[in-house]
Amino acid sequence: MYTFGIDIGSTTSKCVVMKDGTQIVGTSLLVGGIGTKSPAEAVRQALENAGVTREELAGVAATGYGRNRYEDADYHVSELSCHGLGAHHTFPGVRTIIDIGGQDAKVISLDSEGRMQNFLMNDKCAAGTGRFLDVMANILVIPVGELADYCARAKEPAQISSTCTVFAESEVISQLANGVEMEDLVAGICSSVAGRVASLAKRINIVPEVCMSGGVAQNAGVRNALSEKIGHPILFSPNAQLFGAIGAALYAWEKKQ
Amino acid sequence: MAEEVKKQRPPLDPNSAKARLGKIAAEAYSSAQEAKARGEMVGWCSSNFPVEIPETLGLAVVYPENQAAGIAARGAGERMCEISEADGYSNDICAYARISLAYAKVKSAPEQDMPQPDFLLCCNNICNCMIKWYENLSKDLNIPMIMIDIPFNPDYEVSDAELAYVRDQFWAAIHQLEELTGKKWSEEKYKEVMEISGRTSRAWLAATACARYEPSPFNGFDLLNHMAVMVTARGKLEAAEAMEKLLSEYEENHEKGVSTFRTEEKYRIMFEGIACWPWLRVTSTGLKSRGINMVTTIYADAFGFIYEDFDDMCRAYCKVPNAINLEYARDKRVKLAKDNKVEGLLVHTNRSCKLWSGFMYEMSRQIGEECNIPVASFDGDQADPRNFSEAQYDTRVQGLMEIMEARK
Ligand code: SF4
């Protein structure tokens, strides 16, 4: 039986086709989230990638900020549950998930069976989210995907003290003008995101194993800084950005069982 | 999302508790307006000021916090906030204060008008922002401000020293008002007010305690509306009678197996914080469409003022929710959560109310642990619509529901 999960976020659209709730047979990931053409294109690509037609799908679940506007779904599930399911599928021993997405950060705690027990999300401020990194990468004229490489070469991370994205932006600009190394600045930026999220995570009882999900999980700079700040190793999968969609496909499969 | 069951609602029976309570809340404004027209002095009064004092003296007072809530619920929060912000008030200041200061300046808001004040009654047992807000009103309008200082209490009990400090201030306030308005304090009248206020409070506590029934005979959002009467009119006979009617209706609902929560009650939660007035419909629909009934809130407990004599009354005002320590405040909520069998806690991180929202971070964690229930919080504001995101709210409520669902 094939099930389908679509995760429509604020900045990206992700889809996963699953067979029998165990095997991932098709995926897609497109830039452009809610309100763009990307969700439809992501669906098309994932189906093509899996060699499966829409008619063959036994169940479809939508998650992410755009979930309620996606009409072609049997279920609309919060990204909290979906990230939990997706992470548990990938790392069966995981108990704490730290998800940093485009516009929010969340910490989800699971019980030993992978059921969500509790969660915490960032407050209304965008600091500590993917958007913060986007803005910073933009002013440094570095592709977001390369932030981690810069981090790895840093000698002494710069101190970014402003929480506010706008103020942090001018702080970065003035440090740049003062001759602070680009690498050190990037490390400082990653560490500032990690610091915000670590304090959120510490409010929930962090039980290992810990993993990261969402787009920012790809960034080893943030991951390492976060791991250091929370005092636990952080598991990482190249599929981290797809956890929401995997979870949605699993949800649809469970429901259809 | 579960489909909302639409039922035809019968027209409101004028004898129903809802109609009577609505009328009392509206009369709180119209009677003050009439008093003003008769040339009497009218006061603006903070919500947890001992209302027994103006009531016994026969003084007309209105409540800026209530007015601000009404203005915000009718969509004018932002317009009013912008007026005071343009005057230099920071948008970090409580939105009730910003709206009230704006109203004192422009003197008109069709969403909820009220007479301009001749004196101010301020009590800081809810927060200290109140003091500066009223001081500024007093200065801008050049009118006297009568202040009762009730400090935050780190202990469980009200000490004799605190009682003496507060009691003397109550008397000082009474004497100031006598002098200012020419009205006289009467012990006999006070006893009557105390009895009525006790009657109203007992009925309110009993009505809100009907949430222990499963399903609850009422939608918890009702309490947010009826509370206005508890704030402004609990010393009035009509209020006591209307609250008793409310209690009998809830009991009757329970017997008949009906509820003012007009859809299947699948989950029961406690709501923490002041309502998000500008987004009341969005916040209530987000719950109701998922079968989540907010069965209880600290308000259920907060406005039950029951006391035997003057000293006891002083103690009651020292024990209002924002004046008590975290552990005591937590215990009250844990009791409500357990008595009413709630399955989750939804916390409004209200950007206006620093004190309340500030200690909720830790308190909600402790409540969640002690009651073994999931906790979700969302950002919002009681009166400034700019501090709320519908998508954020929806995700958090859905996450909370999914945990409650998985636990069933
Ligand atoms: S809402 Fe909070 S800050 Fe505003 S007046 Fe009330 S207690 Fe004070």
Side-chain angles (χ1 to χ4, degrees):
Chain A
M1 175 170 66
Y2 293 108
T3 55
F4 193 86
I6 175 164
D7 177 1
I8 307 171
S10 57
T11 50
T12 53
S13 302
K14 286 93 42 181
C15 293
V16 163
V17 186
M18 276 194 114
K19 190 175 174 199
D20 300 331
T22 51
Q23 203 188 338
I24 298 171
V25 294
T27 64
S28 64
L29 193 162
L30 266 79
V31 173
I34 180 167
T36 68
K37 292 197 178 105
S38 292
E41 179 56 18
V43 172
R44 197 193 61 73
Q45 285 187 17
L47 288 174
E48 190 180 285
N49 184 237
V52 170
T53 63
R54 172 66 184 88
E55 290 65 42
E56 287 174 86
L57 300 176
V60 175
T63 188
Y65 269 113
R67 67 186 179 282
N68 289 329
R69 299 224 195 112
Y70 187 73
E71 283 168 11
D72 189 24
D74 307 304
Y75 314 103
H76 297 96
V77 198
S78 78
E79 52 269 42
L80 294 152
S81 292
C82 288
H83 279 279
L85 286 168
H88 182 70
H89 174 80
T90 313
F91 301 116
V94 79
R95 299 288 299 275
T96 307
I97 301 150
I98 300 175
D99 170 70
I100 310 183
Q103 63 176 23
D104 63 25
K106 31 191 171 298
V107 183
I108 304 161
S109 72
L110 303 183
D111 65 13
S112 51
E113 260 99 70
R115 273 188 311 251
M116 175 163 63
Q117 273 188 312
N118 227 332
F119 64 87
L120 275 177
M121 291 176 82
N122 64 311
D123 54 31
K124 60 176 177 161
C125 173
T129 71
R131 183 75 76 207
F132 184 84
L133 290 173
D134 289 345
V135 171
M136 297 306 148
N138 218 349
I139 46 168
L140 296 175
V141 206
I142 299 177
V144 189
E146 286 174 26
L147 289 176
D149 303 337
Y150 279 82
C151 251
R153 295 195 297 270
K155 292 189 203 76
E156 201 182 323
Q159 194 72 38
I160 311 290
S161 51
S162 296
T163 304
C164 166
T165 310
V166 178
F167 292 162
E169 193 175 341
S170 44
E171 209 179 322
V172 165
I173 292 169
S174 69
Q175 296 215 32
L176 206 56
N178 288 339
V180 176
E181 296 291 335
M182 191 75 118
E183 283 76 7
D184 291 344
L185 259 180
V186 173
I189 290 163
C190 291
S191 163
S192 131
V193 170
R196 291 274 296 173
V197 181
S199 48
L200 185 70
K202 283 179 187 162
R203 282 176 49 206
I204 236 172
N205 188 16
I206 304 177
V207 180
E209 301 166 355
V210 183
C211 81
M212 263 186 91
S213 68
V216 177
Q218 319 288 344
N219 181 328
V222 174
R223 233 166 47 226
N224 295 339
L226 188 56
S227 168
E228 196 177 303
K229 286 181 202 289
I230 63 169
H232 290 280
I234 294 178
L235 300 173
F236 168 67
S237 154
N239 271 344
Q241 214 172 346
L242 295 175
F243 281 178
I246 296 173
L250 282 168
Y251 183 91
W253 180 75
E254 275 175 17
K255 283 284 168 185
K256 289 289 172 191
Q257 282 285 297
Chain B
M1 226 187 277
E3 267 303 300
E4 210 177 304
V5 186
K6 286 255 180 287
K7 281 188 195 149
Q8 202 64 45
R9 284 197 202 169
L12 194 58
D13 169 3
N15 248 325
S16 67
K18 187 176 175 185
R20 285 160 69 171
L21 289 166
K23 188 161 169 264
I24 295 167
E27 273 170 8
Y29 292 103
S30 58
S31 63
Q33 204 83 55
E34 286 156 18
K36 186 85 180 182
R38 283 195 303 270
E40 285 178 34
M41 292 177 98
V42 170
W44 281 10
C45 182
S46 61
S47 67
N48 274 333
F49 186 93
V51 52
E52 290 77 359
I53 294 178
E55 188 68 34
T56 302
L57 290 168
L59 292 171
V61 291
V62 282
Y63 296 81
E65 288 153 83
N66 241 279
Q67 181 202 28
I71 287 176
R74 291 173 199 124
E78 188 171 347
R79 187 186 81 228
M80 296 300 275
C81 282
E82 279 173 351
I83 295 172
S84 50
E85 283 163 24
D87 278 343
Y89 290 102
S90 159
N91 66 1
D92 276 336
I93 297 170
C94 168
Y96 282 177
R98 276 179 283 151
I99 291 174
S100 174
L101 288 158
Y103 188 75
K105 180 183 182 185
V106 298
K107 305 193 191 320
S108 151
E111 294 79 9
Q112 182 61 69
D113 271 314
M114 66 183 198
Q116 287 296 312
D118 302 290
F119 59 91
L120 301 161
L121 303 178
C122 181
C123 182
N124 64 336
N125 50 357
I126 46 173
C127 72
N128 284 329
C129 161
M130 208 62 170
I131 305 175
K132 292 295 152 194
W133 164 8
Y134 275 54
E135 276 176 1
N136 283 18
L137 284 175
S138 166
K139 194 153 189 284
D140 286 350
L141 303 171
N142 195 21
I143 53 171
M145 161 177 165
I146 291 164
M147 169 75 205
I148 293 179
D149 172 40
I150 300 188
F152 185 86
N153 189 352
D155 303 318
Y156 267 66
E157 294 309 321
V158 178
S159 68
D160 289 347
E162 183 176 3
L163 174 63
Y165 177 64
V166 170
R167 186 206 298 121
D168 283 359
Q169 292 185 75
F170 274 37
W171 281 114
I174 293 167
H175 295 142
Q176 272 173 286
L177 279 167
E178 284 181 328
E179 210 166 290
L180 185 71
T181 64
K183 306 256 181 172
K184 281 279 156 269
W185 179 264
S186 139
E187 273 304 311
E188 211 175 306
K189 174 77 178 152
Y190 169 64
K191 286 214 171 67
E192 197 183 297
V193 170
M194 181 169 76
E195 261 156 44
I196 295 172
S197 170
R199 232 179 101 183
T200 316
S201 296
R202 272 187 292 276
W204 166 257
L205 289 174
T208 57
C210 287
R212 68 188 179 279
Y213 298 129
E214 290 176 282
S216 164
F218 63 87
N219 179 345
F221 274 80
D222 295 357
L223 303 183
L224 300 177
N225 286 322
H226 301 335
M227 202 185 70
V229 169
M230 289 309 294
V231 175
T232 62
R234 59 180 179 272
K236 294 194 190 330
L237 187 60
E238 315 86 87
E241 289 168 352
M243 282 301 166
E244 284 162 358
K245 177 85 169 94
L246 185 72
L247 169 62
S248 73
E249 284 179 8
Y250 285 174
E251 289 288 1
E252 203 179 305
N253 280 1
H254 166 61
E255 271 153 36
K256 289 193 195 145
V258 295
S259 173
T260 60
F261 187 69
R262 290 171 209 284
T263 186
E264 186 197 345
E265 179 182 287
K266 292 190 195 143
Y267 311 98
R268 301 158 62 83
I269 62 161
M270 176 154 85
F271 183 87
E272 183 62 52
I274 301 177
C276 202
W277 293 114
W279 298 95
L280 196 62
R281 185 172 288 275
V282 169
T283 47
S284 83
T285 308
L287 296 175
K288 201 172 149 203
S289 64
R290 298 184 166 94
I292 303 173
N293 191 3
M294 176 268 264
V295 292
T296 192
T297 121
I298 190 65
Y299 285 130
D301 176 275
F303 286 104
F305 284 93
I306 295 173
Y307 45 83
E308 301 293 330
D309 52 33
F310 199 89
D311 277 4
D312 224 17
M313 173 178 81
C314 296
R315 279 191 208 96
Y317 282 96
C318 295
K319 286 186 164 190
V320 301
N322 279 4
I324 57 175
N325 65 73
L326 189 144
E327 292 76 13
Y328 188 16
R330 172 203 61 203
D331 292 348
K332 278 178 176 290
R333 286 157 170 95
V334 166
K335 181 170 182 334
L336 279 173
K338 289 187 174 167
D339 287 353
N340 297 306
K341 302 177 237 20
V342 311
E343 304 163 81
L345 171 62
L346 182 63
V347 180
H348 174 199
T349 303
N350 177 358
R351 293 288 151 181
S352 266
C353 195
K354 310 296 184 287
L355 191 151
W356 196 339
S357 297
F359 74 177
M360 264 344 274
Y361 275 100
E362 174 56 16
M363 200 198 303
S364 61
R365 190 188 65 77
Q366 294 187 14
I367 297 168
E369 257 177 38
E370 200 158 330
C371 301
N372 187 27
I373 52 171
V375 179
S377 63
F378 68 96
D379 271 85
D381 196 291
Q382 64 203 17
D384 186 337
R386 298 165 292 184
N387 287 332
F388 176 83
S389 150
E390 194 172 342
Q392 259 194 9
Y393 175 79
D394 200 64
T395 298
R396 290 162 200 222
V397 168
Q398 187 166 2
L400 182 68
M401 182 206 81
E402 287 164 1
I403 300 178
M404 294 190 292
E405 185 183 34
R407 286 182 167 209
K408 279 198 190 272

